[in-house]
Amino acid sequence: MDAIFEAAEHIRQARYVTVLTGAGVSAESGVPTFRASDGLWEGHHIEDVATPEGFRRNPHLVWEFYNERRNKLKQVRPNPGHYALVELEKRFAERFTLVTQNVDGLHQQAGSNTVAELHGSLYRTRCTGCKDLRIHDLEPLGELPKCQKCDRLLRPDIVWFREELPKEVWQRAYLAAQACDVFLLIGTSAVVYPAAGLAQIARNRGPAGDEGATIIEFNLEETAVSNSVDLGVYGPSGVTLPKLIEQLSMNPS
Ligand code: APR
């Protein structure tokens, strides 16, 4: 049976669907992923641009990295994969949670409402002094932006390596993984925890012996978790996700 047809069958019978997306879902919008050969971590040292120590050492370099990523967002738009997830959310309404590792805001731009941003957002800054949280559009923030309230240095509201995820966002994601009977892993290499652990939480959900969630992976290729998912749908998510919605619409439950 065709993988998309099979995925649609599982989703059609689902009571609650939770999705975890990674950089792959934005790749077809022109946003670089992290671990591909031309990915962000090829051209930059994680230690220098995505850790609190790197920021303390050289905030200029960190802001140069994030201002460049923010600036590039001006040219990108959601792709058909983002819009397909909006359709999926409409189908399940309050029985649906979209958890993302992405910081590009493209799910929200496409119209998704239930977005839990595990790793923060390029559209927000946080003051290193008074913790003031600000939302910005994509105007330049300057080389070393300062807080309007206390004049201390601002940092991107991004979760860096070795930092805790925002408690309330993680709690939402954790509960959504426990609540779902179908969990979709889309466009993620599933190597960064705790985000990557959500699939296992979904599988082990509920009382012992309870049937865990069905885990379905949408990716270009197999990943570190492919041998533990129930079904793999391989191809560009900008193609496979719209096909999934088309399949679901054929005989709506
Ligand atoms: N369609 C579907 N999947 C794709 C596509 C596509 N068009 N293009 C790439 N992919 C897949 C790749 O095969 C890979 O498995 O997307 C995944 C991207 O993996 P990463 O670059 O590791 O990105 P991600 O999984 O989001 O990284 C997780 O790591 O660096 C941290 O905080 C950062 O949130 C990020 C986290």
Side-chain angles (χ1 to χ4, degrees), residues 5 16 20 26 46 59 74 81 139 152 165 168 188 190 209 220:
F5 180 86
Y16 195 113
L20 173 67
S26 296
I46 288 178
K74 291 174 188 164
E139 91 287 354
R152 294 283 298 278
L165 267 57
E168 66 291 344
T188 181
L220 278 185

Side-chain angles (χ1 to χ4, degrees), residues 21-29 32-36 39-41 46 50 69 79 100-103 119 158-161 186-193 195 217-224 233 235-240:
T21 61
V25 81
S26 296
E28 289 158 81
S29 296
T33 62
F34 291 94
R35 294 169 180 83
L40 280 168
W41 297 147
I46 288 178
R69 289 177 69 188
N79 67 61
T100 188
Q101 301 169 92
N102 299 340
V103 296
H119 294 166
I158 298 280
V159 179
W160 284 329
F161 287 89
I186 303 174
T188 181
S189 58
V191 292
V192 173
Y193 285 78
E217 175 175 55
F218 285 76
N219 202 301
L220 278 185
E221 60 196 12
E222 298 217 335
T223 67
V233 179
S237 51
V239 173
T240 56

Side-chain angles (χ1 to χ4, degrees), residues 91-105:
R91 190 182 181 90
F92 282 89
E94 73 290 344
R95 295 174 296 118
F96 179 88
T97 299
L98 173 54
V99 183
T100 188
Q101 301 169 92
N102 299 340
V103 296
D104 56 30

Side-chain angles (χ1 to χ4, degrees), residues 20 33 35 61 69 86 89-90 103-104 114-115 123 162 175 180 184 186 194 196 201 220 224 234 236 240 242 245 253:
L20 173 67
T33 62
R35 294 169 180 83
L61 181 67
R69 289 177 69 188
V86 175
E89 180 183 276
K90 283 179 189 160
V103 296
D104 56 30
T114 64
V115 185
Y123 286 84
R162 297 193 288 277
L175 291 175
C180 71
L184 307 184
I186 303 174
I201 291 164
L220 278 185
Y234 297 107
T240 56
I245 297 303
S253 49

Side-chain angles (χ1 to χ4, degrees), residues 49-238:
V49 295
T51 63
E53 297 77 14
F55 186 67
R56 270 193 290 279
R57 231 182 1 258
N58 187 345
H60 260 285
L61 181 67
V62 173
W63 268 114
E64 191 182 355
F65 174 62
Y66 284 97
N67 277 331
E68 187 187 335
R69 289 177 69 188
R70 293 177 76 254
N71 198 34
K72 281 186 179 154
L73 282 186
K74 291 174 188 164
Q75 278 82 41
V76 306
R77 295 287 172 271
N79 67 61
H82 293 104
Y83 290 111
L85 289 172
V86 175
E87 290 310 310
L88 197 59
E89 180 183 276
K90 283 179 189 160
R91 190 182 181 90
F92 282 89
E94 73 290 344
R95 295 174 296 118
F96 179 88
T97 299
L98 173 54
V99 183
T100 188
Q101 301 169 92
N102 299 340
V103 296
D104 56 30
L106 288 176
H107 286 304
Q108 294 92 323
Q109 251 186 69
S112 289
N113 295 307
T114 64
V115 185
E117 291 177 315
L118 284 183
H119 294 166
S121 170
L122 288 170
Y123 286 84
R124 291 195 300 269
T125 59
R126 195 164 77 232
C127 175
T128 56
C130 67
K131 308 291 179 234
D132 181 51
L133 202 58
R134 289 262 163 153
I135 295 174
H136 308 267
D137 55 33
L138 290 174
E139 91 287 354
L141 289 173
E143 288 177 19
L144 283 178
K146 296 285 174 48
C147 174
Q148 289 174 5
K149 281 185 169 173
C150 73
D151 204 32
R152 294 283 298 278
L153 188 54
L154 294 180
R155 59 166 280 177
D157 187 35
I158 298 280
V159 179
W160 284 329
F161 287 89
R162 297 193 288 277
E163 288 192 316
E164 293 275 307
L165 267 57
K167 285 199 179 12
E168 66 291 344
V169 178
W170 173 249
Q171 183 65 2
R172 241 184 93 200
Y174 186 91
L175 291 175
Q178 284 214 313
C180 71
D181 40 6
V182 172
F183 187 92
L184 307 184
L185 271 166
I186 303 174
T188 181
S189 58
V191 292
V192 173
Y193 285 78
L198 287 168
Q200 206 49 42
I201 291 164
R203 174 178 293 294
N204 301 338
R205 73 187 181 95
D210 181 9
E211 186 62 21
T214 301
I215 317 288
I216 306 176
E217 175 175 55
F218 285 76
N219 202 301
L220 278 185
E221 60 196 12
E222 298 217 335
T223 67
V225 296
S226 294
N227 55 10
S228 62
V229 303
D230 297 288
L231 176 64
V233 179
Y234 297 107
S237 51

